[in-house]
Amino acid sequence: MTDLSTTGASAPKNRWLQLLFGIVCMCMIANMQYGWTFFVNPIQERHGWDRAAIQVAFTLFVVTETWLVPIEGWFVDKYGPRVVTLVGGLMCGLAWVVNAYADSLTLLYIGAVIGGTGAGAVYGTCVGNSLKWFPDRRGLAAGLTAMGFGAGSALTVVPIQAVIHNYSYESAFLWFGLGQGVVVMLIALFLVAPKKGQVPAIARVSQSRRDFSPGEMVRTPIFWVMYAMFVMMAAGGLMATAQLGPIAKDFHIADVPVSLFGITLPALTFAATIDRVLNGVTRPLFGWISDHIGRENTMFLSFGIEGVGIYMLSQFGQDPIMFVILTGLVFFAWGEIYSLFPATCGDTFGSKYAATNAGLLYTAKGTAALIVPYTSILTTMTGSWHAVFLAAAALNILAALMAIFVLKPMRQAYTRDAAAVEAEPKTATAH
């Protein structure tokens, strides 16, 4: 039997340090998604490629970053987090080096696939490891880890734009790619998974009493309800992430100075910086809230705010100040999906296969990314972003309603049934 008196003393410090390592790694790969929007227009101006064709690279990145996570998560569950993160960091650095020298769409797409595979390995490992170290605070732990990915690029918004403007977008890809990759590889050397008895198992929210394998999980209807909701929520946010630069350009406000909080910056730069900060802060905040009031109640609140925010952006976004404020609101109400869904998955299906199971659910983000190139096409066909915004807002409101009226009752019944199934052998043995 594990002596909790010996492990308990060191476990709290150890697990918080492991959480910090994961957050740093996430910060290092954040630019691969959230910095992309700054490269779209320079790439188009340099090569004359169609914007929708360039955004295919973003879709390829997100698809490989998400759809391969279950495989990477399996390696994490079996061999530990260190080697997977090490390889992922190497691929992340290599990807932006490829982008720096890409003189064709094919090479740009290859860089996107390499980057997506590497980023997925790092992302899936860090989130899965946080769920294992913090079964008692899954919302907060997943939120803090995901915060690194959401807000990690905030400090580099101005530097990346400065390098692109003063040197070239190729230089930005090269320098930042190498730096980010090296840091991830160094941190990877210190990552470990928890051993039995090192973590507490007490939580305020409803949790499964047994661990479900990935095969068992995907055969449950509740998994597919969560998957559908994840796709609905991810689609609007990914559109805003990938198209923020083009939207600001089409609204003719990208370079308009905006003064808020005593700071004056161009509207796009201001929006991108605030968006990334709020996109990061919301993840541990709503994760912590969900640890106390329940996952579904928190989803209803945040998803509803997101839907309203996107609709208001469609109505008032052409004003530079409102563009900055409303994009901030949109990202604030969107980023929490990356803490709420992994935490809900861990609660429902257990800790043993947490990295693989959360990775399977995370593929919903890749499915949603398939929609992003079509937003450019729809905008070209309609002559504005209005239809895109309305569709995204509607999906968010639908997901908010599903959280309360579909997911919540299903999960309550599912947790009760799982507990009853587990209790049957014990009852039989007693007789």
Side-chain angles (χ1 to χ4, degrees):
M1 181 180 293
T2 304
D3 185 359
L4 295 181
S5 65
T6 59
T7 58
S10 60
K13 289 183 180 179
N14 186 38
R15 69 175 187 161
W16 286 104
L17 191 58
Q18 287 297 310
L19 185 65
L20 177 61
F21 289 153
I23 293 171
V24 173
C25 286
M26 295 285 264
C27 288
M28 290 299 104
I29 66 169
N31 276 325
M32 302 192 73
Q33 176 173 311
Y34 293 100
W36 171 256
T37 192
F38 302 122
F39 293 93
V40 176
N41 290 333
I43 291 173
Q44 184 180 31
E45 293 167 3
R46 176 67 56 86
H47 299 285
W49 300 330
D50 181 71
R51 184 187 291 174
I54 295 172
Q55 291 291 26
V56 168
F58 181 82
T59 297
L60 287 172
F61 167 81
V62 176
V63 166
T64 51
E65 186 233 349
T66 54
W67 286 0
L68 295 179
V69 168
I71 299 174
E72 295 154 349
W74 180 85
F75 278 101
V76 174
D77 288 335
K78 189 170 181 64
Y79 299 108
R82 184 174 301 158
V83 65
V84 180
T85 307
L86 191 65
V87 174
L90 176 63
M91 297 185 74
C92 288
L94 177 62
W96 270 28
V97 172
V98 171
N99 287 350
Y101 292 98
D103 55 3
S104 67
L105 283 170
T106 300
L107 201 54
L108 190 70
Y109 296 162
I110 291 173
V113 170
I114 295 173
T117 305
V122 177
Y123 191 107
T125 301
C126 295
V127 171
N129 214 35
S130 72
L131 295 176
K132 291 182 179 184
W133 276 107
F134 290 85
D136 56 326
R137 299 180 181 179
R138 283 198 179 104
L140 177 63
L144 286 169
T145 304
M147 178 186 70
F149 193 69
S153 62
L155 295 177
T156 54
V157 167
V158 173
I160 284 181
Q161 287 187 312
V163 172
I164 292 174
H165 178 74
N166 295 321
Y167 298 93
S168 65
Y169 79 82
E170 294 95 338
S171 296
F173 271 137
L174 181 63
W175 298 348
F176 283 91
L178 290 174
Q180 291 161 182
V182 168
V183 173
V184 171
M185 293 176 70
L186 289 175
I187 294 294
L189 300 176
F190 300 96
L191 288 175
V192 294
K195 296 179 181 179
K196 188 175 181 180
Q198 283 188 309
V199 295
I202 301 172
R204 300 185 183 186
V205 296
S206 174
Q207 294 195 4
S208 173
R209 296 187 183 182
R210 75 178 184 92
D211 298 308
F212 288 76
S213 69
E216 290 176 315
M217 181 184 70
V218 298
R219 290 194 293 270
T220 63
I222 194 169
F223 169 77
W224 294 106
V225 169
M226 285 193 285
Y227 195 93
M229 291 171 59
F230 203 148
V231 171
M232 293 176 190
M233 288 300 303
L238 287 175
M239 179 274 294
T241 298
Q243 305 282 31
L244 187 64
I247 290 171
K249 182 179 179 181
D250 291 347
F251 281 179
H252 306 292
I253 59 170
D255 298 318
V256 176
V258 171
S259 297
L260 287 172
F261 316 116
I263 302 172
T264 301
L265 290 170
L268 177 59
T269 303
F270 213 143
T273 303
I274 289 180
D275 294 350
R276 280 146 183 76
V277 172
L278 293 178
N279 188 30
V281 170
T282 186
R283 301 179 187 210
L285 174 62
F286 278 109
W288 176 82
I289 291 172
S290 74
D291 284 337
H292 292 77
I293 70 170
R295 312 295 185 209
E296 297 88 354
N297 295 337
T298 309
M299 287 179 178
F300 177 75
L301 173 65
S302 57
F303 295 179
I305 295 173
E306 170 79 352
V308 173
I310 290 177
Y311 177 76
M312 292 179 65
L313 184 61
S314 72
Q315 300 297 310
F316 308 107
Q318 297 192 30
D319 176 87
I321 295 179
M322 292 303 294
F323 178 82
V324 172
I325 294 174
L326 290 174
T327 56
L329 178 63
V330 166
F331 275 85
F332 177 75
W334 176 65
E336 86 294 324
I337 65 175
Y338 300 108
S339 59
L340 295 183
F341 282 110
T344 305
C345 184
D347 293 343
T348 309
F349 302 110
S351 296
K352 184 176 180 180
Y353 304 99
T356 308
N357 289 343
L360 282 166
L361 182 59
Y362 187 61
T363 62
K365 178 183 173 183
T367 303
L370 296 174
I371 302 171
V372 173
Y374 293 99
T375 60
S376 294
I377 296 173
L378 181 60
T379 301
T380 301
M381 291 174 59
T382 60
S384 74
W385 291 93
H386 190 65
V388 173
F389 283 131
L390 288 181
L395 288 174
N396 280 265
I397 296 299
L398 178 59
L401 295 173
M402 287 180 66
I404 292 295
F405 297 110
V406 181
L407 180 62
K408 188 173 183 177
M410 281 186 71
R411 211 163 71 86
Q412 288 174 340
Y414 183 72
T415 303
R416 288 196 301 269
D417 292 343
V421 169
E422 185 195 23
E424 285 179 1
K426 298 179 180 179
T427 304
T429 302
H431 289 288

